[in-house]
Amino acid sequence: MHGGALLSLADTAVVMAIKSLLPPKTHFGTISVEAEFLCPVKKGIVTAKAKVLGRKDRILTGQATVFNEEGRAVLEFQSTFKIARDSEIRDITFSEP
């Protein structure tokens, strides 16, 4: 499996962990990532488990591990995110339904 796909899965897993802690419609973005590929994935289904490690002001850090279908860790991933100051970003706003 392409390493970029594994990184994207890990990043998305951390994002979902962060979203579970922040108010709805909070904007934030990835500002740094660090990853270690532990072994190749040649076939099968991969899964990710993620958690938020901490928060200081507008900065959040998270960690994810991606596993192959045998449950073996194939990627260790850490990332840092920054919460936007405003809910409006580049002329994009959310309207209530």
Side-chain angles (χ1 to χ4, degrees):
M1 182 175 287
H2 188 273
L6 297 174
L7 289 173
S8 182
L9 173 62
D11 189 49
T12 301
V14 174
V15 165
M16 298 312 291
I18 290 171
K19 282 181 161 281
S20 74
L21 301 175
L22 296 177
K25 302 180 185 176
T26 301
H27 291 278
F28 59 94
T30 308
I31 59 173
S32 71
V33 298
E34 183 179 326
E36 182 179 358
F37 294 93
L38 306 173
C39 67
V41 177
K42 296 179 181 177
K43 64 177 184 170
I45 297 171
V46 293
T47 57
K49 291 186 180 180
K51 61 184 173 182
V52 178
L53 298 176
R55 177 179 180 176
K56 183 174 181 183
D57 301 318
R58 293 175 32 230
I59 304 294
L60 297 113
T61 56
Q63 182 271 332
T65 304
V66 177
F67 299 91
N68 64 15
E69 62 186 15
E70 288 82 34
R72 181 177 179 186
V74 298
L75 176 75
E76 290 291 342
F77 178 90
Q78 285 200 9
S79 53
T80 305
F81 296 81
K82 190 169 190 178
I83 298 172
R85 291 174 199 236
D86 302 317
S87 62
E88 187 173 317
I89 298 180
R90 296 184 187 174
D91 299 324
I92 298 172
T93 58
F94 289 100
S95 60
E96 295 299 320

